[in-house]
Amino acid sequence: PSGHELKAAAEQPQFCQTDVCMPEECCAPLGVCSLLDCGAAGAYVVAKAPPEFCSGGSCTYDECCEPAPSGGDSGDSGALIAASVVIAIIFAGIGGIAFGFRDRISAYWGQA
């Protein structure tokens, strides 16, 4: 079945438990990239289009990973940091606008 490979002859049972062999009796599951930590290989990230299943029971870095973008960035962490900074600036700006508006209203009504 999909996602499995035939076990070596020495690993297969002589007879199946029923008239029809079950996949787990004769087949071994293929590896999946989600179980491989690309970062453990150094400056690598998960490939943009990793295979659904690897060619064997465990995946290789060549199948699932690709070199990280230049600069040693391991993924989108730079984009995440930049987005966080932009959000912080926006909230700081909104806070400053709100306080400035409150001060101007208070001054207009003579409450400053």
Side-chain angles (χ1 to χ4, degrees), residues 59-101:
C59 298
T60 65
Y61 291 107
D62 289 337
E63 291 175 296
C64 302
C65 309
E66 59 188 34
S70 61
D73 182 29
S74 58
D76 293 332
S77 60
L80 180 61
I81 292 169
S84 300
V85 169
V86 168
I87 290 170
I89 291 170
I90 290 171
F91 279 116
I94 290 172
I97 291 169
F99 286 117
F101 181 74

Side-chain angles (χ1 to χ4, degrees), residues 19-105:
D19 291 343
V20 177
C21 292
M22 301 301 293
E24 55 272 2
E25 292 176 293
C26 301
C27 301
L30 292 172
V32 291
C33 289
S34 61
L35 299 177
L36 186 68
D37 179 10
C38 291
Y44 287 87
V45 295
V46 176
K48 288 183 177 73
E52 182 179 8
F53 299 105
C54 298
S55 60
S58 58
C59 298
T60 65
Y61 291 107
D62 289 337
E63 291 175 296
C64 302
C65 309
E66 59 188 34
S70 61
D73 182 29
S74 58
D76 293 332
S77 60
L80 180 61
I81 292 169
S84 300
V85 169
V86 168
I87 290 170
I89 291 170
I90 290 171
F91 279 116
I94 290 172
I97 291 169
F99 286 117
F101 181 74
R102 182 195 66 196
D103 293 342
R104 283 193 298 273
I105 294 295

